Amino acid sequence: MPSTATPKERRLVRETDQERTVAELAEPVIEELGFRLVRVKISGRDGGTVQIMAERPNGEMSVDDCATISRGLSPVLDAYDPMPAAYNLEVSSPGIDRPLVRPSDFALWAGHEAKIELKEPVDGRKRFKGTIEDVAGEEVHLKIELDGKAEPVIIGLPFSLIGEAKLVVDPDGFRMDLSGSKPVH
């Protein structure tokens, strides 16, 4: 999926602790190589795996692109040694259940279903699942089902409150995208 974002567009999600340290080291290197950082995730025993999720500004990402980022990033991570023990570096694309980390991601994926978790509750609720309607100013509009309402309602969620967001995998829609029977956004 093509992206309309520039490499300098702010990410909504900010990693914490070690992930933030790795992201701060990785982002300038990744941008210099012509890519955008999507997310850093550290997992496994004692941080055994450092996953860097990235993409080109147009949303594409190939295996060769992953190798390019890995080769460019490895010497920086080796020099600054942000991990307490040995680790494996994995570079990947965002995938079909991609995280939504920039306002332009929400705009690009309008019409698709997303899960959004807020940093703090709004009307007693932190988790929302619905269809992305659009982006207006500093918020995303999401069409959701509410208990007691006959029809879905559209709510606005401020980007400043979004802790995590990702697309919901739609296997039927994915098959249609692959077969060419559904227009790509």
Side-chain angles (χ1 to χ4, degrees):
M1 289 282 157
S3 174
T4 58
T6 62
K8 294 293 183 193
E9 183 183 11
R10 69 181 166 89
R11 290 185 310 132
L12 303 170
V13 178
R14 290 292 175 200
E15 293 81 4
T16 59
D17 304 325
Q18 278 185 310
E19 290 174 348
R20 178 179 54 227
T21 301
V22 172
E24 288 170 354
L25 291 169
E27 194 160 27
V29 173
I30 290 170
E31 286 181 358
E32 186 175 309
L33 293 170
F35 300 92
R36 299 183 323 155
L37 176 65
V38 174
R39 181 180 73 191
V40 172
K41 189 163 205 129
I42 297 174
S43 61
R45 186 179 174 139
D46 299 322
T49 301
V50 175
Q51 181 192 44
I52 305 289
M53 196 177 286
E55 64 187 357
R56 289 187 173 279
N58 68 2
E60 295 175 2
M61 190 72 165
S62 70
V63 173
D64 289 339
D65 294 337
C66 292
T68 297
I69 291 172
S70 182
R71 282 190 302 272
L73 197 51
S74 290
V76 173
L77 295 178
D78 288 347
Y80 287 94
D81 199 21
M83 301 300 296
Y87 62 91
N88 293 313
L89 176 63
E90 291 181 2
V91 178
S92 68
S93 71
I96 61 173
D97 62 343
R98 70 162 290 135
L100 303 167
V101 299
R102 292 176 174 83
S104 63
D105 292 343
F106 290 90
L108 178 67
W109 292 94
H112 288 79
E113 193 171 27
K115 288 183 182 179
I116 299 174
E117 185 165 343
L118 303 179
K119 297 173 192 172
E120 57 191 59
V122 169
D123 293 332
R125 186 172 170 183
K126 286 179 78 172
R127 291 185 178 98
F128 297 86
K129 180 179 175 183
T131 303
I132 301 168
E133 287 294 303
D134 62 16
V135 171
E138 289 297 311
E139 65 180 23
V140 60
H141 292 153
L142 196 67
K143 184 188 288 186
I144 64 169
E145 303 282 337
L146 282 179
D147 290 339
K149 300 282 185 185
E151 297 291 321
V153 298
I154 297 175
I155 61 168
L157 299 174
F159 289 122
S160 62
L161 292 182
I162 294 176
E164 187 174 343
K166 69 178 185 173
L167 290 178
V168 174
V169 177
D170 173 12
D172 294 331
F174 185 64
R175 276 191 216 80
M176 289 175 69
D177 285 341
L178 288 176
S179 72
S181 53
K182 181 173 141 185
V184 178
H185 284 62

Coordinates of all heavy atoms in Angstrom, one line a residue, residues 22-107:
V22 N 16.8 1.8 21.4 CA 17.1 1.2 20.0 C 16.5 2.1 18.9 O 17.1 2.4 17.9 CB 16.6 -0.2 20.0 CG1 16.7 -0.8 18.5 CG2 17.4 -1.1 20.9
A23 N 15.2 2.6 19.2 CA 14.5 3.4 18.2 C 15.3 4.7 17.9 O 15.4 5.1 16.8 CB 13.1 3.7 18.6
E24 N 15.8 5.3 19.0 CA 16.6 6.6 18.8 C 17.9 6.4 18.1 O 18.3 7.2 17.3 CB 16.9 7.2 20.2 CG 15.6 7.8 20.9 CD 15.8 8.2 22.3 OE1 16.9 7.9 22.9 OE2 14.9 8.8 22.9
L25 N 18.5 5.2 18.2 CA 19.7 4.9 17.4 C 19.3 4.5 16.0 O 20.0 4.9 15.0 CB 20.4 3.7 18.0 CG 21.1 3.9 19.4 CD1 21.6 2.6 20.0 CD2 22.3 4.9 19.2
A26 N 18.2 3.8 15.8 CA 17.8 3.2 14.5 C 17.2 4.2 13.6 O 17.5 4.2 12.4 CB 16.8 2.0 14.7
E27 N 16.3 5.1 14.1 CA 15.5 6.0 13.2 C 16.4 6.8 12.3 O 16.1 6.9 11.1 CB 14.6 6.8 14.0 CG 13.5 7.5 13.2 CD 12.3 7.9 13.9 OE1 12.4 8.2 15.1 OE2 11.2 8.0 13.3
P28 N 17.4 7.5 12.8 CA 18.2 8.3 11.8 C 18.9 7.5 10.7 O 19.1 7.9 9.6 CB 19.3 9.0 12.7 CG 18.9 8.7 14.1 CD 17.9 7.7 14.1
V29 N 19.4 6.3 11.1 CA 20.1 5.4 10.2 C 19.1 5.0 9.1 O 19.4 5.0 7.9 CB 20.7 4.2 10.9 CG1 21.3 3.2 9.9 CG2 21.8 4.6 11.9
I30 N 17.9 4.5 9.6 CA 16.9 4.1 8.6 C 16.4 5.2 7.7 O 16.3 5.0 6.5 CB 15.7 3.5 9.4 CG1 16.1 2.2 10.1 CG2 14.5 3.3 8.6 CD1 15.2 1.6 11.1
E31 N 16.2 6.4 8.2 CA 15.8 7.5 7.4 C 16.9 7.9 6.4 O 16.6 8.2 5.2 CB 15.5 8.7 8.2 CG 14.2 8.6 8.9 CD 13.8 9.8 9.8 OE1 14.6 10.8 9.9 OE2 12.7 9.8 10.4
E32 N 18.2 7.8 6.8 CA 19.3 8.1 5.9 C 19.3 7.1 4.7 O 19.7 7.5 3.6 CB 20.6 8.1 6.6 CG 21.8 8.5 5.8 CD 23.1 8.6 6.6 OE1 23.1 9.2 7.7 OE2 24.1 8.0 6.2
L33 N 18.9 5.9 5.0 CA 18.8 4.9 3.9 C 17.6 5.0 3.0 O 17.4 4.2 2.1 CB 18.9 3.5 4.6 CG 20.2 3.1 5.3 CD1 20.0 1.8 6.1 CD2 21.3 3.0 4.2
G34 N 16.7 5.9 3.4 CA 15.5 6.2 2.6 C 14.3 5.4 3.0 O 13.3 5.3 2.3
F35 N 14.2 5.0 4.3 CA 13.1 4.3 4.8 C 12.5 5.0 6.0 O 13.0 6.0 6.5 CB 13.5 2.9 5.3 CG 14.1 2.0 4.2 CD1 15.5 2.0 3.9 CD2 13.3 1.2 3.4 CE1 16.0 1.3 2.9 CE2 13.8 0.5 2.3 CZ 15.2 0.5 2.1
R36 N 11.4 4.5 6.5 CA 10.7 5.0 7.7 C 10.7 3.9 8.8 O 10.3 2.8 8.5 CB 9.3 5.5 7.4 CG 9.1 6.5 6.4 CD 7.7 7.0 6.2 NE 6.7 5.9 6.4 CZ 5.4 6.1 6.7 NH1 5.0 7.3 7.0 NH2 4.6 5.1 6.8
L37 N 11.0 4.3 10.0 CA 10.8 3.4 11.1 C 9.3 3.3 11.5 O 8.7 4.3 11.6 CB 11.6 3.9 12.3 CG 11.5 3.1 13.6 CD1 12.1 1.7 13.4 CD2 12.1 3.8 14.8
V38 N 8.8 2.1 11.6 CA 7.5 1.9 12.0 C 7.5 1.5 13.5 O 6.8 2.2 14.3 CB 6.8 0.7 11.2 CG1 5.4 0.4 11.7 CG2 6.7 1.1 9.7
R39 N 8.2 0.5 13.9 CA 8.2 0.1 15.3 C 9.5 -0.7 15.7 O 10.1 -1.3 14.8 CB 7.0 -0.7 15.6 CG 6.8 -1.2 17.0 CD 5.6 -2.0 17.2 NE 5.9 -3.4 16.6 CZ 4.9 -4.3 16.4 NH1 3.7 -4.0 16.7 NH2 5.2 -5.4 15.9
V40 N 9.8 -0.6 17.0 CA 10.9 -1.4 17.5 C 10.2 -2.3 18.6 O 9.5 -1.8 19.4 CB 12.0 -0.6 18.2 CG1 13.0 -1.5 18.9 CG2 12.7 0.2 17.1
K41 N 10.5 -3.6 18.6 CA 10.0 -4.5 19.6 C 11.1 -5.4 20.0 O 11.8 -6.0 19.2 CB 8.8 -5.3 19.0 CG 8.1 -6.1 20.0 CD 6.7 -6.5 19.5 CE 5.8 -6.7 20.7 NZ 4.6 -6.0 20.6
I42 N 11.3 -5.5 21.3 CA 12.3 -6.4 21.9 C 11.5 -7.5 22.6 O 10.6 -7.3 23.4 CB 13.2 -5.7 22.9 CG1 13.9 -4.6 22.2 CG2 14.1 -6.6 23.6 CD1 14.8 -3.6 23.0
S43 N 11.9 -8.8 22.3 CA 11.2 -9.9 22.9 C 12.2 -11.0 23.2 O 13.4 -10.9 22.8 CB 10.1 -10.4 21.9 OG 10.7 -10.8 20.7
G44 N 11.7 -12.0 23.8 CA 12.5 -13.2 24.1 C 13.2 -13.0 25.4 O 13.3 -12.0 26.0
R45 N 13.8 -14.1 25.8 CA 14.5 -14.1 27.1 C 15.7 -13.1 27.1 O 16.5 -13.1 26.2 CB 15.1 -15.5 27.3 CG 15.7 -15.7 28.7 CD 16.2 -17.1 28.8 NE 16.9 -17.2 30.1 CZ 16.8 -18.2 30.9 NH1 16.0 -19.2 30.6 NH2 17.5 -18.2 32.0
D46 N 15.7 -12.2 28.0 CA 16.8 -11.2 28.2 C 16.9 -10.3 26.9 O 18.0 -9.9 26.5 CB 18.1 -11.8 28.5 CG 18.1 -12.5 29.8 OD1 17.4 -12.1 30.8 OD2 18.7 -13.6 29.9
G47 N 15.8 -10.1 26.2 CA 15.8 -9.3 25.0 C 16.5 -10.0 23.9 O 17.3 -9.4 23.1
G48 N 16.3 -11.3 23.7 CA 17.1 -12.1 22.7 C 16.8 -11.7 21.3 O 17.5 -12.0 20.4
T49 N 15.7 -11.0 21.0 CA 15.3 -10.6 19.6 C 15.0 -9.1 19.6 O 14.2 -8.7 20.4 CB 14.2 -11.4 19.1 OG1 14.5 -12.8 19.1 CG2 13.8 -11.0 17.7
V50 N 15.6 -8.4 18.7 CA 15.3 -7.0 18.5 C 14.7 -6.9 17.1 O 15.3 -7.2 16.1 CB 16.5 -6.1 18.5 CG1 16.2 -4.6 18.2 CG2 17.2 -6.1 19.9
Q51 N 13.4 -6.6 17.0 CA 12.7 -6.5 15.8 C 12.5 -5.1 15.4 O 12.0 -4.2 16.1 CB 11.3 -7.2 15.9 CG 10.6 -7.1 14.5 CD 9.1 -7.5 14.6 OE1 8.4 -7.0 15.5 NE2 8.6 -8.3 13.7
I52 N 13.0 -4.7 14.2 CA 12.9 -3.4 13.6 C 11.9 -3.5 12.5 O 12.1 -4.3 11.5 CB 14.2 -2.9 13.0 CG1 15.3 -2.9 14.1 CG2 14.0 -1.5 12.4 CD1 15.2 -1.9 15.2
M53 N 10.7 -2.8 12.6 CA 9.7 -2.8 11.5 C 9.9 -1.5 10.8 O 9.9 -0.4 11.4 CB 8.4 -3.0 12.1 CG 7.3 -3.3 11.2 SD 5.7 -3.5 12.0 CE 5.9 -5.1 12.9
A54 N 10.1 -1.6 9.4 CA 10.3 -0.4 8.6 C 9.6 -0.5 7.3 O 9.1 -1.6 6.9 CB 11.8 -0.2 8.5
E55 N 9.6 0.6 6.5 CA 9.0 0.6 5.2 C 9.6 1.7 4.4 O 10.1 2.7 5.0 CB 7.5 0.7 5.3 CG 7.0 2.0 5.8 CD 5.5 2.1 6.1 OE1 4.8 1.1 5.7 OE2 5.1 3.1 6.6
R56 N 9.5 1.7 3.1 CA 9.8 2.8 2.2 C 8.7 3.8 2.4 O 7.6 3.5 2.9 CB 9.8 2.4 0.8 CG 11.0 1.5 0.5 CD 11.1 1.3 -1.1 NE 12.3 0.6 -1.4 CZ 13.5 1.2 -1.5 NH1 13.6 2.5 -1.4 NH2 14.6 0.5 -1.8
P57 N 9.0 5.1 2.1 CA 7.9 6.1 2.2 C 6.6 5.8 1.4 O 5.6 6.2 1.8 CB 8.6 7.4 1.7 CG 10.0 7.2 2.0 CD 10.3 5.7 1.8
N58 N 6.8 5.0 0.3 CA 5.6 4.6 -0.4 C 4.9 3.4 0.1 O 4.0 2.9 -0.5 CB 6.0 4.4 -1.9 CG 6.8 3.2 -2.1 OD1 7.2 2.5 -1.2 ND2 7.2 3.0 -3.4
G59 N 5.4 2.9 1.2 CA 4.8 1.7 1.9 C 5.3 0.4 1.5 O 5.0 -0.6 2.1
E60 N 6.2 0.3 0.5 CA 6.7 -0.9 0.0 C 7.9 -1.4 0.9 O 8.5 -0.6 1.5 CB 7.1 -0.8 -1.4 CG 5.9 -0.6 -2.4 CD 6.3 -0.4 -3.8 OE1 7.5 -0.4 -4.1 OE2 5.4 -0.1 -4.6
M61 N 8.2 -2.7 0.8 CA 9.3 -3.2 1.5 C 9.7 -4.6 0.9 O 8.8 -5.4 0.9 CB 9.0 -3.3 3.0 CG 10.2 -3.6 3.9 SD 11.3 -2.2 4.0 CE 12.3 -2.7 5.4
S62 N 10.9 -4.8 0.5 CA 11.3 -6.0 0.0 C 12.3 -6.7 0.9 O 12.8 -6.1 1.8 CB 11.9 -5.8 -1.4 OG 13.2 -5.2 -1.3
V63 N 12.6 -8.0 0.6 CA 13.6 -8.7 1.4 C 15.0 -8.0 1.2 O 15.7 -7.9 2.2 CB 13.7 -10.2 0.9 CG1 14.8 -10.9 1.5 CG2 12.4 -10.9 1.1
D64 N 15.3 -7.5 0.0 CA 16.5 -6.8 -0.2 C 16.6 -5.5 0.7 O 17.6 -5.1 1.2 CB 16.7 -6.4 -1.6 CG 17.1 -7.6 -2.5 OD1 17.5 -8.7 -1.9 OD2 16.8 -7.6 -3.7
D65 N 15.4 -4.8 0.8 CA 15.3 -3.6 1.7 C 15.6 -4.0 3.1 O 16.3 -3.3 3.8 CB 13.9 -3.0 1.6 CG 13.6 -2.4 0.2 OD1 14.6 -2.1 -0.6 OD2 12.4 -2.2 -0.1
C66 N 15.1 -5.1 3.6 CA 15.3 -5.6 4.9 C 16.8 -5.8 5.2 O 17.4 -5.4 6.2 CB 14.5 -6.8 5.3 SG 12.8 -6.6 5.3
A67 N 17.5 -6.4 4.2 CA 18.9 -6.7 4.3 C 19.7 -5.4 4.3 O 20.7 -5.2 5.0 CB 19.3 -7.6 3.1
T68 N 19.3 -4.4 3.5 CA 20.0 -3.1 3.4 C 19.9 -2.4 4.8 O 20.9 -1.9 5.3 CB 19.3 -2.2 2.4 OG1 19.5 -2.8 1.1 CG2 19.9 -0.8 2.4
I69 N 18.7 -2.4 5.4 CA 18.6 -1.8 6.7 C 19.4 -2.6 7.7 O 20.1 -2.0 8.6 CB 17.1 -1.8 7.1 CG1 16.4 -0.8 6.2 CG2 17.0 -1.4 8.6 CD1 14.9 -0.8 6.4
S70 N 19.4 -3.9 7.7 CA 20.1 -4.7 8.6 C 21.6 -4.4 8.5 O 22.3 -4.2 9.6 CB 19.9 -6.2 8.4 OG 20.6 -7.0 9.3
R71 N 22.2 -4.3 7.3 CA 23.6 -4.0 7.1 C 23.9 -2.6 7.6 O 25.0 -2.4 8.1 CB 24.0 -4.2 5.6 CG 24.2 -5.6 5.2 CD 24.8 -5.7 3.8 NE 24.0 -5.1 2.8 CZ 23.0 -5.6 2.1 NH1 22.7 -6.9 2.3 NH2 22.4 -5.0 1.2
G72 N 23.0 -1.7 7.4 CA 23.3 -0.3 7.8 C 23.2 -0.1 9.3 O 23.9 0.7 9.9
L73 N 22.3 -0.9 9.9 CA 22.0 -0.7 11.3 C 22.9 -1.5 12.2 O 23.3 -1.0 13.4 CB 20.5 -1.1 11.6 CG 19.9 -0.6 12.8 CD1 20.0 0.8 13.1 CD2 18.4 -1.0 12.8
S74 N 23.4 -2.7 11.8 CA 24.2 -3.5 12.7 C 25.4 -2.8 13.2 O 25.7 -2.9 14.4 CB 24.6 -4.8 11.9 OG 23.4 -5.6 11.7
P75 N 26.2 -2.1 12.4 CA 27.4 -1.5 13.0 C 27.1 -0.4 14.1 O 27.8 -0.3 15.0 CB 28.1 -0.8 11.8 CG 27.5 -1.4 10.6 CD 26.1 -2.0 11.0
V76 N 25.9 0.3 13.9 CA 25.5 1.3 14.9 C 25.1 0.6 16.2 O 25.5 1.1 17.2 CB 24.4 2.2 14.3 CG1 23.8 3.1 15.4 CG2 24.8 2.9 13.1
L77 N 24.3 -0.4 16.1 CA 23.9 -1.1 17.3 C 25.1 -1.8 18.0 O 25.2 -1.8 19.2 CB 22.8 -2.2 17.0 CG 21.5 -1.6 16.5 CD1 20.5 -2.7 16.2 CD2 20.9 -0.6 17.5
D78 N 26.1 -2.3 17.2 CA 27.3 -2.9 17.7 C 28.1 -1.8 18.5 O 28.6 -2.1 19.6 CB 28.1 -3.6 16.7 CG 27.5 -4.8 16.1 OD1 26.6 -5.4 16.7 OD2 28.0 -5.3 15.1
A79 N 28.2 -0.6 17.9 CA 29.0 0.4 18.5 C 28.4 0.9 19.8 O 29.1 1.2 20.8 CB 29.2 1.6 17.5
Y80 N 27.1 1.1 19.8 CA 26.4 1.7 21.0 C 26.0 0.6 22.0 O 25.7 0.9 23.1 CB 25.2 2.6 20.6 CG 25.7 3.8 20.0 CD1 25.9 4.0 18.6 CD2 26.0 4.9 20.8 CE1 26.3 5.2 18.1 CE2 26.5 6.1 20.2 CZ 26.6 6.2 18.9 OH 27.1 7.4 18.3
D81 N 25.9 -0.6 21.6 CA 25.6 -1.8 22.4 C 24.4 -1.5 23.4 O 24.6 -1.6 24.6 CB 26.8 -2.2 23.2 CG 26.8 -3.6 23.7 OD1 25.9 -4.4 23.2 OD2 27.5 -3.9 24.7
P82 N 23.2 -1.3 22.9 CA 22.1 -0.9 23.7 C 21.4 -2.1 24.5 O 20.6 -1.9 25.3 CB 21.0 -0.3 22.8 CG 21.3 -1.0 21.5 CD 22.8 -1.2 21.4
M83 N 21.9 -3.3 24.1 CA 21.3 -4.5 24.8 C 22.2 -5.1 25.8 O 23.4 -5.2 25.5 CB 21.0 -5.6 23.7 CG 20.0 -5.0 22.6 SD 18.4 -4.6 23.3 CE 17.8 -6.1 23.9
P84 N 21.7 -5.6 26.9 CA 22.6 -6.2 28.0 C 23.2 -7.5 27.6 O 24.2 -7.9 28.2 CB 21.6 -6.3 29.1 CG 20.3 -6.5 28.5 CD 20.3 -5.7 27.3
A85 N 22.6 -8.2 26.6 CA 23.2 -9.6 26.3 C 23.1 -9.7 24.7 O 22.7 -8.8 24.0 CB 22.3 -10.6 26.9
A86 N 23.6 -10.9 24.3 CA 23.5 -11.1 22.8 C 22.1 -11.1 22.4 O 21.2 -11.5 23.1 CB 24.1 -12.5 22.6
Y87 N 21.9 -10.7 21.1 CA 20.5 -10.7 20.6 C 20.6 -10.9 19.1 O 21.6 -10.8 18.5 CB 19.9 -9.3 20.8 CG 20.6 -8.2 20.2 CD1 20.3 -7.7 18.9 CD2 21.7 -7.5 20.8 CE1 20.9 -6.7 18.3 CE2 22.4 -6.5 20.2 CZ 22.0 -6.1 19.0 OH 22.7 -5.0 18.4
N88 N 19.4 -11.2 18.5 CA 19.3 -11.4 17.1 C 18.5 -10.1 16.6 O 17.5 -9.7 17.1 CB 18.4 -12.6 16.7 CG 19.1 -13.9 17.1 OD1 20.3 -14.1 16.8 ND2 18.5 -14.8 17.7
L89 N 19.0 -9.6 15.5 CA 18.4 -8.4 14.9 C 17.5 -8.9 13.7 O 17.9 -9.7 12.9 CB 19.4 -7.5 14.3 CG 18.9 -6.3 13.5 CD1 18.0 -5.4 14.4 CD2 20.0 -5.5 12.9
E90 N 16.2 -8.6 13.8 CA 15.3 -8.9 12.7 C 14.7 -7.6 12.1 O 14.2 -6.8 12.8 CB 14.1 -9.7 13.3 CG 14.4 -11.1 13.7 CD 13.2 -11.9 14.2 OE1 12.1 -11.3 14.2 OE2 13.4 -13.0 14.7
V91 N 14.8 -7.5 10.8 CA 14.2 -6.4 10.1 C 13.1 -6.9 9.3 O 13.3 -7.8 8.5 CB 15.3 -5.6 9.3 CG1 14.6 -4.4 8.5 CG2 16.4 -5.1 10.1
S92 N 11.9 -6.3 9.4 CA 10.7 -6.8 8.6 C 9.9 -5.6 8.2 O 10.0 -4.5 8.6 CB 9.9 -7.7 9.5 OG 9.3 -7.0 10.6
S93 N 8.9 -6.0 7.3 CA 7.9 -5.0 6.8 C 6.8 -5.0 7.9 O 6.7 -5.9 8.7 CB 7.4 -5.4 5.5 OG 6.6 -6.6 5.6
P94 N 5.9 -4.0 7.8 CA 4.7 -4.0 8.8 C 3.8 -5.2 8.7 O 3.2 -5.5 9.6 CB 4.0 -2.7 8.4 CG 5.1 -1.8 7.8 CD 5.9 -2.8 7.0
G95 N 3.6 -5.8 7.5 CA 2.7 -6.9 7.4 C 1.3 -6.6 7.2 O 0.9 -5.4 7.2
I96 N 0.4 -7.6 7.2 CA -1.0 -7.3 6.9 C -1.8 -6.8 8.1 O -2.8 -6.2 7.9 CB -1.7 -8.6 6.3 CG1 -1.7 -9.8 7.2 CG2 -1.1 -8.9 4.9 CD1 -2.5 -11.0 6.7
D97 N -1.3 -7.1 9.3 CA -1.9 -6.5 10.5 C -1.1 -5.4 11.0 O -0.9 -5.2 12.2 CB -2.1 -7.6 11.6 CG -0.8 -8.2 12.1 OD1 0.2 -8.1 11.4 OD2 -0.9 -8.8 13.1
R98 N -0.7 -4.6 10.1 CA 0.3 -3.5 10.4 C -0.1 -2.6 11.5 O -1.2 -2.2 11.6 CB 0.6 -2.7 9.1 CG -0.5 -1.9 8.6 CD -0.1 -0.8 7.6 NE 0.7 0.2 8.3 CZ 1.8 0.7 7.9 NH1 2.3 0.4 6.7 NH2 2.5 1.6 8.6
P99 N 0.9 -2.1 12.2 CA 0.6 -1.1 13.2 C 0.4 0.2 12.5 O 0.9 0.5 11.4 CB 2.0 -1.0 14.0 CG 2.7 -2.2 13.7 CD 2.3 -2.6 12.3
L100 N -0.5 1.0 13.0 CA -0.8 2.4 12.5 C -0.1 3.3 13.4 O -0.5 3.5 14.6 CB -2.3 2.6 12.5 CG -3.1 1.6 11.7 CD1 -4.6 1.7 12.0 CD2 -2.8 1.7 10.2
V101 N 1.0 4.0 12.9 CA 1.9 4.7 13.8 C 2.0 6.2 13.5 O 2.6 7.0 14.2 CB 3.3 4.1 13.9 CG1 3.2 2.7 14.5 CG2 4.0 4.2 12.6
R102 N 1.4 6.6 12.4 CA 1.4 8.0 11.9 C 0.0 8.4 11.5 O -0.8 7.6 11.1 CB 2.3 8.2 10.8 CG 3.8 8.0 11.1 CD 4.7 8.1 9.8 NE 6.1 8.0 10.2 CZ 6.7 6.9 10.4 NH1 6.1 5.7 10.2 NH2 8.0 6.9 10.7
P103 N -0.4 9.7 11.7 CA -1.7 10.1 11.2 C -2.0 9.7 9.7 O -3.1 9.3 9.4 CB -1.6 11.7 11.4 CG -0.7 11.9 12.5 CD 0.3 10.8 12.3
S104 N -0.9 9.8 8.9 CA -1.1 9.4 7.5 C -1.5 8.0 7.3 O -2.1 7.6 6.3 CB 0.1 9.8 6.6 OG 1.2 9.1 7.1
D105 N -1.0 7.1 8.2 CA -1.4 5.7 8.2 C -2.9 5.5 8.3 O -3.5 4.8 7.6 CB -0.7 4.9 9.3 CG 0.8 4.8 9.1 OD1 1.3 5.0 8.0 OD2 1.4 4.4 10.2
F106 N -3.5 6.3 9.2 CA -5.0 6.2 9.4 C -5.7 6.7 8.1 O -6.7 6.1 7.7 CB -5.4 7.0 10.6 CG -5.0 6.4 11.9 CD1 -3.8 6.7 12.5 CD2 -5.8 5.5 12.6 CE1 -3.3 6.1 13.7 CE2 -5.4 4.9 13.8 CZ -4.2 5.2 14.3
A107 N -5.2 7.8 7.6 CA -5.8 8.4 6.4 C -5.7 7.4 5.2 O -6.6 7.2 4.5 CB -5.1 9.7 6.0

